[in-house]
Amino acid sequence: AASVKFEPLTQGTPTSGARDGWDFDTDETSLDGLRLLGHVAGIGDVIVGPNEWIAGPATPSRIEGIALQWPQKPDNLDLRYAVKSATETGPAKMVSLGSFTGTRQRAMPITGIVLEMSGPGASNCQFLAEALFLSSPTLRAVGQRVVLSGPTGREPLVGLRVAIQSTEIFKEPPPSAPSTAGIN
C-alpha cells in the first residue's frame, strides 16, 4: 500500500523565517505595480511582485537573468539596471525598464547586480533590495543606486527580492496664526 500526497510548489514565496531581520512593508510604503522577472536555472522565467523572492532563502537556485517591469511607473521616474556574470570583464551594460539582461539556457549565473533610479521623481523614492549569493550572508541595500555582489564577486546569485519605497514625508500643515480677536 502506498499513499501519494500532492503539494503545490511555488517559486519565490519566503518562509516566515526568511522575512526576519528586515521589514519590506509593501502594503503602506511601496509604490504599486513593480514586478521582477528572473530566469532561474532549471525552472525558467519566474515573475514576482515587490517583496517576493526569486529563488531565495527557502529555495536557492542560480538566477541567470532579470527584467524589471512596472506598467504604472510615474512619468517623472526612470529606472535602469545591469547584471554581471563571472565571465564578463569591464562595466556592466545598463538597460532600461522592461529590458531583459543576463542569459537564458547558458548556465551563466549572475554574480553582480546594479539598480539605479533617476529623474525628478527619484528624490521621492528608493530601492529596497535583498540578494543572496551562494555561501554568503543575505545582502541588504537601500538607496537610489544599489550595487550588490558576493564577497569575491564570483559567487552566483541564488536569491533576489526588490521593492521600491516612497521617501516622501507627509508634513502636517503649518499651524494657523493665533487669533487676535478680543486683543486691543
Side-chain angles (χ1 to χ4, degrees), residues 21-90:
W22 201 26
D23 185 20
F24 269 66
D25 189 1
T26 58
D27 292 334
E28 295 178 12
T29 59
S30 177
L31 301 170
D32 293 330
L34 180 70
R35 293 181 308 202
L36 174 64
L37 176 143
H39 185 77
V40 180
I43 296 173
D45 289 351
V46 176
I47 298 175
V48 298
N51 194 29
E52 295 179 318
W53 283 98
I54 294 228
T59 54
S61 190
R62 285 187 332 268
I63 300 173
E64 298 174 350
I66 65 164
L68 286 174
Q69 303 166 347
W70 193 5
Q72 299 92 8
K73 178 189 74 66
D75 292 336
N76 63 354
L77 182 64
D78 293 316
L79 303 181
R80 296 180 343 138
Y81 48 95
V83 300
K84 190 168 184 170
S85 65
T87 60
E88 294 176 3
T89 58

